[in-house]
Amino acid sequence: MKASLKMSALLGGAVAAAVMLAGCGGSTQATSGSPGTTPKVKTLSDGVLNVGTDLTYPPYDMLVDGKPAGFDIEFMDAMSKELGLTPKYQDTRFAQIVAGIKANRYDVIASTLYVSAGRAKEVDFVPYFQTGNSVISPASVDGPATAQDLCGKRVSVVTATVIAKLLPAGESDKCKAAGKDAITVNEFPTDPEATQALLSGQVDVQMTDAAVGKTVVEKSNGRLKISSNSLIYPIAVGLAVNKANAEMKQGLETGIEAMKKSGKYDELLKKYNLEPADPAVVDASMKQG
């Protein structure tokens, strides 16, 4: 899981095929993006932004036809242009990815790394978006928009995720306190199985990671929609740099601001059903272990 809050298993079909293409940790992939004329920050390799990422987590990080793809790849391609660099992606398994930045194997981590107090002791974060959960419902009904709208509903989720614990406990307690029925949670090993339960009428809705949910809806041939109106249980996600590399941290922060001005930042977040990192969410994430 991406930290203790990684919300879901991988999708089936084309997405699962992308996962099977992922190489072993340590392989290096480069994109064909055009660099700027003058690098704005120093990097480990002249003119190249070395990016550590685990290419086994679609739709954020994956291999498609042998090439890096997904939200983080598109984000860092755009970032590299702002910094006047050519991006090069080093496929690294998530368990070793922080150790790699500390050992200067790459300049930055872009791998859906959740912000936390524990990780902030090892790396410096540059928050660049927040994810969370979305509710998926049949396209033909007015589905739940918030977590409390799930009261009395049957909800499919992936086993052992945070929402599998939150919904039948704390969230259902709120339902009961409001005089409503508790949430019935049905757990499944994978997202495709949770989606199939929704399509077959075993449950009323599905809850999963926001970007994963968008992919589910896109592959449903119009049968499903995202009914929630904002991220549920949001968590901040950060680019990570070596604590000794203040120049890179500042460069990434400047690059994000440039992407916001150009419109590329909002374009990518909208494409993947994500949100800008809210300072309050960043603060709350930093208080987690």
Side-chain angles (χ1 to χ4, degrees):
M1 287 189 172
K2 302 284 182 181
S4 61
L5 293 179
K6 183 178 178 183
M7 297 297 179
S8 61
L10 304 178
L11 295 173
V15 175
V19 176
M20 294 177 66
L21 288 170
C24 298
S27 63
T28 302
Q29 302 284 341
T31 73
S32 58
S34 300
T37 55
T38 304
K40 297 179 181 179
V41 293
K42 294 180 181 178
T43 55
L44 296 171
S45 304
D46 288 344
V48 175
L49 184 65
N50 291 285
V51 182
T53 188
D54 185 341
L55 296 171
T56 65
Y57 186 42
Y60 295 98
D61 312 284
M62 55 188 171
L63 285 172
V64 175
D65 296 329
K67 297 180 180 180
F71 171 78
D72 280 322
I73 308 307
E74 292 186 54
F75 192 93
M76 293 311 295
D77 282 353
M79 172 67 74
S80 297
K81 289 182 179 180
E82 295 294 346
L83 299 180
L85 298 165
T86 299
K88 191 172 186 180
Y89 298 96
Q90 186 165 329
D91 189 9
T92 305
R93 295 293 75 83
F94 198 76
Q96 290 82 43
I97 206 160
V98 170
I101 196 76
K102 294 173 70 175
N104 289 316
R105 295 194 186 103
Y106 24 83
D107 300 293
V108 57
I109 295 172
S111 194
T112 322
L113 190 66
Y114 291 176
V115 171
S116 71
R119 287 191 176 131
K121 295 178 182 178
E122 301 185 86
V123 298
D124 279 343
F125 278 115
V126 178
Y128 62 129
F129 74 96
Q130 63 188 37
T131 187
N133 294 273
S134 290
V135 176
I136 304 170
S137 70
S140 59
V141 304
D142 291 330
T146 69
Q148 273 297 286
D149 290 338
L150 298 173
C151 298
K153 302 288 187 183
R154 300 168 299 164
V155 185
S156 64
V157 303
V158 173
T159 302
T161 55
V162 169
I163 54 176
K165 299 176 182 178
L166 287 175
L167 294 181
E171 203 63 59
S172 283
D173 288 343
K174 294 179 184 178
C175 294
K176 295 173 185 176
K180 304 175 184 177
D181 291 334
I183 302 167
T184 300
V185 176
N186 293 294
E187 298 185 36
F188 296 87
T190 67
D191 265 301
E193 290 169 279
T195 302
Q196 186 56 45
L198 173 59
L199 291 170
S200 64
Q202 297 178 52
V203 297
D204 302 303
V205 296
Q206 177 185 359
M207 182 182 277
T208 189
D209 174 86
V212 174
K214 188 172 188 296
T215 304
V216 168
V217 169
E218 289 172 348
K219 294 181 179 297
S220 73
N221 295 319
R223 291 175 293 173
L224 302 175
K225 68 179 181 182
I226 292 177
S227 61
S228 48
N229 50 24
S230 62
L231 294 180
I232 299 174
Y233 310 132
I235 183 76
V237 183
L239 303 173
V241 301
N242 191 302
K243 278 189 167 294
N245 198 347
E247 180 184 354
M248 178 59 66
K249 182 175 185 291
Q250 184 176 358
L252 294 172
E253 291 170 342
T254 301
I256 289 174
E257 290 306 311
M259 288 172 63
K260 289 180 178 178
K261 290 181 180 179
S262 72
K264 188 66 175 180
Y265 181 83
D266 288 338
E267 174 189 325
L268 286 174
L269 293 189
K270 182 178 181 180
K271 178 179 178 179
Y272 285 89
N273 191 32
L274 302 171
E275 295 179 353
D278 186 307
V281 173
V282 174
D283 289 344
S285 300
M286 283 293 293
K287 293 176 183 176
Q288 299 183 16

